[in-house]
Structure formats: C-alpha cells, structure tokens
C-alpha cells in the first residue's frame, strides 16, 4: 500500500470532487510503487508525467457519477470512509479507461489537440511511445482492481464488466473507423442503423452504463437483474451523442467550447444521416459534392441544406420523443432509488446547450 495517507471525510459532509481528487494521488503513487516491475528513475518520471497529462484534465463526469449513483442507491448523502474510497477508485478506473481510449483514438484520428493541449503523441519525445502508454493505462486498471477489490464477492463481476465494456467500445471504434475511412468517402455507407450502432458501442456503454453498473456492484446487486437499466442508459447515451452531433453544427461555439468540424471531418453524424434520408436527388448531389471538404464554402452549402431540410425541427422532435420514452421507461423501474439515479443522468443532459 502506498505511504501517502489520504484524508477523507469520515461521516461528516464532504465535497465529492475534492475527495475524488485526493484518491487520484494515492492510486498514482501505488502505480509508481508497483512491485511487479523494477522501475528506473526515468521510467517513473515518464509514467508520472503521462498519467497527469492524460488521466487528469477532463471534467471527470464519468468517475464522479459512480460516487453520486452509489450514494443514491444507498439512500445516503455521505458515505463511510471505506465506501468513499472504493467508489472513488472505481470512478478513477473509468477515467483511466477514458484516458486509454483517447490516447489511442487521437493517434488513429491524427488529431492535433485534446482538452486544450497537444495530443499526447504530439508532445516532443513522445510520438508512438504513446501506443505503449495506452497499453500501460489499460493495465493499470487491472492492477488497481486487483489491489483493492480482489477480496470482494463482486471482484470477478467487476473484471467482466470492464472487459465487456472495453470490447464493446473498441468494436464501436472499429465500425466508426472503417465507415468513415479517409480517402474512401462513400456516403452510401451512412444510415441511421450504422450511426446508432457506432454511437451505442463507441460511447454509450462506457460513458453511461459503466458508472452505474459499478455503483450497482458496489451496492451488492447482480447486474443480470438490471438489463432494463442497461438499455435505458444506452438509449440515454445515444440521445446524448445525437445532441452532440446537433450542437456541433447548430450550437454556439462560445457555449460548447469548440468550433464544430463534423462536416469537414466527414463524420457519420445524425444530421448527415437524416439529410440523406430526406433529401431528393439534387440535394443528395449537393451533399456528395460538399460533405467532407474543409473549405468554408462547402461547409456553408451543407449547413444551408440542413436548414432547407429543416433538420433543427427534426432534432427537436427527436429530442422530445426520446425524452418522453426515457421518462416512461424510467418510471417503469420498480426501484425508486434506481429511478432517481436514472433521472439524475437525464436531467444533466436534457436540452443541454453545451
């Protein structure tokens, strides 16, 4: 066990974010002191820097959701010290998983920046060492779970959960990559089923289902009894990504914090899929001619076509219908605590502007 003592609130009020941040330092120190490898000073410095650069810097929504969901399921405002530590640790495992995905995703997409700084592989002296760093990040999750959960009755379920979610996400990434392959632009591959499959597998499982599944396991529940909850969270994740696609084109860059580039990047976006479904032959011609081009004139033509097809109204209709269906499905859940967890997720994303 790492020597760094972490002072957590023990029965008194406490800020989840502050507690969560403290646990990171402890977990990182444990990884740097792992007896399974004889670290050199240089390799220790590398991993220390690599973890801070890639695991930190996000909003930590996924990780914090584990703690909030666990509190709701237990019906308490404050967890005991050990419960807080375990919930935070699983939250950080999800943040480690996110870092692993993003490090490799940025290489595959040849991206320039991530979270306002150069992608890790763009940092001088890093380059394709980032591939191995991604593998190390993934292995850290197994080391953390083994160290802190090996004696728990749900340990095997946790391992299975992370493995299954990783497989689904990697498979979704594959579908995204081969569908939107650069140099082989073919809009005929894009349809609602393909878009839905990419979104569900690439984003929804690890962003929405995984945090709640971790909280359920911590609460002693059997995930086999929560198939409906999984389906609801995956639907919510799909709705979240459709919002993202919409905001990329129609959102205010000041609010969303970035300038959307889905059109230029030839993304299999909900908007282009809707456009292809509703366009006549001449409108399809405009899409085929301009989608995926980065000059402002081509982008403007695509956006004008979206407006002509009234995709803003189509989105608001989709949003309303999705919300109503999610509400009905949530209210059908027998557990009030589970309903509360699901509603807290939905309230965070419904009609968001960023």
């Amino acid at each position: 066990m790492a020597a760094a003592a972490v002072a957590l609130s023990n029965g008194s009020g406490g800020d989840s974010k502050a507690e969560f941040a403290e646990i990171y330092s402890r977990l990182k120190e444990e990884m740097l002191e792992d007896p399974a490898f004889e670290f050199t000073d240089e390799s220790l410095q590398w991993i220390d820097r690599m973890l801070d650069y890639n695991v930190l810097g996000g909003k930590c929504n996924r990780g914090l959701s584990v703690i909030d969901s666990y509190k709701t399921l237990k019906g308490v405002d404050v967890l005991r010290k050990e419960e807080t530590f375990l919930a935070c640790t699983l939250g950080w495992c999800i943040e480690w998983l996110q870092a692993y995905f993003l490090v490799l995703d940025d290489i595959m997409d040849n991206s320039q920046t991530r979270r306002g700084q150069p992608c890790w592989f763009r940092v001088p002296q890093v380059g394709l060492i980032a591939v191995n760093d991604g593998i190390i990040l993934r292995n850290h999750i197994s080391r953390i779970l083994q160290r802190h959960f090996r004696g728990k009755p749900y340990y095997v379920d946790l391992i299975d959960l992370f493995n299954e979610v990783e497989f689904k996400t990697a498979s979704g990434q594959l579908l995204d990559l081969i569908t939107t392959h650069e140099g082989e632009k073919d809009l005929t591959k894009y349809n609602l089923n393909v878009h839905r499959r990419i979104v569900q597998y690439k984003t929804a499982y690890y962003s929405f289902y995984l945090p709640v599944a971790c909280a359920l396991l911590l609460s002693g529940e059997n995930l086999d009894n929560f198939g409906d909850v999984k389906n609801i969270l995956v639907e919510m994740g799909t709705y979240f990504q459709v919002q993202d696609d919409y905001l990329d084109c129609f959102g205010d860059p000041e609010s969303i914090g970035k300038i959307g580039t889905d059109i230029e990047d030839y993304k299999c976006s909900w908007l282009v899929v809707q456009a292809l479904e509703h366009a006549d032959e001449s409108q399809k011609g405009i899409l085929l001619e301009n989608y995926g081009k980065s000059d402002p004139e081509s982008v403007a033509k695509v956006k004008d076509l979206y407006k002509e097809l009234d995709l803003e109204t189509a989105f608001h209709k989709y949003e309303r219908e999705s919300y109503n269906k999610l509400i009905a499905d949530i209210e059908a859940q027998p557990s009030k605590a589970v309903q509360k967890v699901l509603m807290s997720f939905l309230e965070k994303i419904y009609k968001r502007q960023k």
Side-chain angles (χ1 to χ4, degrees):
M1 188 66 69
V6 178
L8 293 174
S9 66
N10 188 12
S12 60
D15 175 33
S16 291
K17 285 187 181 178
E19 290 172 340
F20 194 60
E22 283 181 16
I23 302 295
Y24 169 76
S25 303
R26 175 172 167 181
L27 295 175
K28 182 176 80 165
E29 193 166 332
E30 289 174 357
M31 292 304 97
L32 295 174
E33 294 179 357
D34 195 321
F37 181 69
E38 293 178 41
F39 292 98
T40 61
D41 288 345
E42 191 181 9
S43 62
L44 282 173
Q45 286 167 9
W46 182 281
I47 292 171
D48 191 345
R49 179 187 176 212
M50 183 271 288
L51 289 175
D52 286 354
Y53 198 95
N54 294 293
V55 179
L56 301 181
K59 296 187 283 290
C60 290
N61 286 339
R62 294 169 185 83
L64 289 164
S65 294
V66 178
I67 307 157
D68 294 339
S69 299
Y70 185 37
K71 284 178 180 173
T72 303
L73 290 170
K74 283 185 70 71
V76 299
D77 292 325
V78 179
L79 297 168
R80 295 198 310 272
K81 184 174 179 178
E82 172 68 4
E83 292 172 332
T84 299
F85 176 74
L86 293 176
C88 287
T89 298
L90 286 183
W92 278 116
C93 284
I94 299 174
E95 295 298 326
W96 245 268
L97 187 71
Q98 159 93 330
Y100 153 59
F101 290 147
L102 297 185
V103 165
L104 298 182
D105 195 44
D106 287 341
I107 299 169
M108 289 179 257
D109 290 348
N110 203 28
S111 301
Q112 296 294 327
T113 60
R114 166 75 63 185
R115 295 168 173 168
Q117 57 185 5
C119 297
W120 177 238
F121 82 101
R122 297 274 181 200
V123 172
Q125 276 82 55
V126 176
L128 291 181
I129 296 173
V131 175
N132 195 65
D133 289 334
I135 295 167
I136 287 173
L137 285 164
R138 175 60 185 97
N139 277 272
H140 278 177
I141 299 167
S142 301
R143 310 296 292 170
I144 292 168
L145 292 176
Q146 183 186 55
R147 179 185 281 260
H148 295 292
F149 294 91
R150 196 173 185 180
K152 306 291 180 194
Y154 51 84
Y155 175 57
V156 172
D157 295 320
L158 268 180
I159 298 290
D160 284 350
L161 174 65
F162 274 87
N163 286 342
E164 184 185 334
V165 168
E166 181 191 4
F167 174 67
K168 286 179 187 295
T169 307
S171 301
Q173 171 74 344
L174 172 68
L175 187 57
D176 191 19
L177 290 167
I178 61 178
T179 305
T180 62
H181 202 281
E182 266 192 70
E184 202 185 292
K185 293 180 175 174
D186 180 7
L187 280 177
T188 61
K189 288 182 180 177
Y190 290 8
N191 59 58
L192 267 178
N193 281 337
V194 169
H195 174 268
R196 183 179 187 80
R197 208 167 287 168
I198 290 171
V199 168
Q200 281 187 354
Y201 288 100
K202 188 181 171 182
T203 304
Y205 277 97
Y206 92 91
S207 297
F208 284 78
Y209 174 60
L210 183 56
V212 176
C214 284
L216 285 166
L217 287 176
L218 279 172
S219 304
E221 299 288 358
N222 181 341
L223 294 181
D224 291 342
N225 299 331
F226 292 89
D228 287 349
V229 171
K230 179 197 278 192
N231 294 338
I232 290 167
L233 287 159
V234 170
E235 277 302 315
M236 227 180 273
T238 305
Y239 163 59
F240 179 85
Q241 186 59 51
V242 172
Q243 284 179 313
D244 238 32
D245 292 353
Y246 172 79
L247 291 170
D248 185 273
C249 180
F250 293 109
D252 173 18
E254 287 289 313
S255 296
I256 61 176
K258 63 177 182 178
I259 296 166
T261 57
D262 282 1
I263 294 169
E264 295 94 317
D265 296 342
Y266 202 71
K267 286 283 168 69
C268 183
S269 149
W270 184 83
L271 292 169
V272 77
V273 165
Q274 289 292 327
L276 286 164
E277 203 163 274
H278 296 103
D280 60 29
E281 287 310 308
S282 77
Q283 289 170 324
K284 277 183 186 167
I286 293 168
L287 268 182
L288 293 167
E289 178 63 33
N290 296 286
Y291 200 72
K293 292 184 177 172
S294 53
D295 63 283
E297 196 180 330
S298 295
V299 174
K301 283 180 182 173
V302 174
K303 287 190 176 181
D304 287 344
L305 179 60
Y306 286 172
K307 285 173 183 156
E308 195 181 312
L309 292 167
D310 202 11
L311 293 189
E312 286 187 79
T313 301
F315 167 74
H316 292 306
K317 179 173 182 279
Y318 164 84
E319 182 170 54
R320 192 168 57 251
E321 289 172 355
S322 293
Y323 180 77
N324 290 340
K325 183 179 185 314
L326 284 165
I327 290 288
D329 290 346
I330 290 168
E331 287 176 350
Q333 290 305 301
S335 160
K336 291 291 180 194
V338 167
Q339 283 188 25
K340 202 171 169 188
V341 168
L342 295 171
M343 280 306 301
S344 76
F345 270 78
L346 187 55
E347 283 162 5
K348 282 175 196 161
I349 64 171
Y350 182 56
K351 292 205 166 177
R352 68 191 175 94
Q353 298 300 314
K354 59 181 180 179

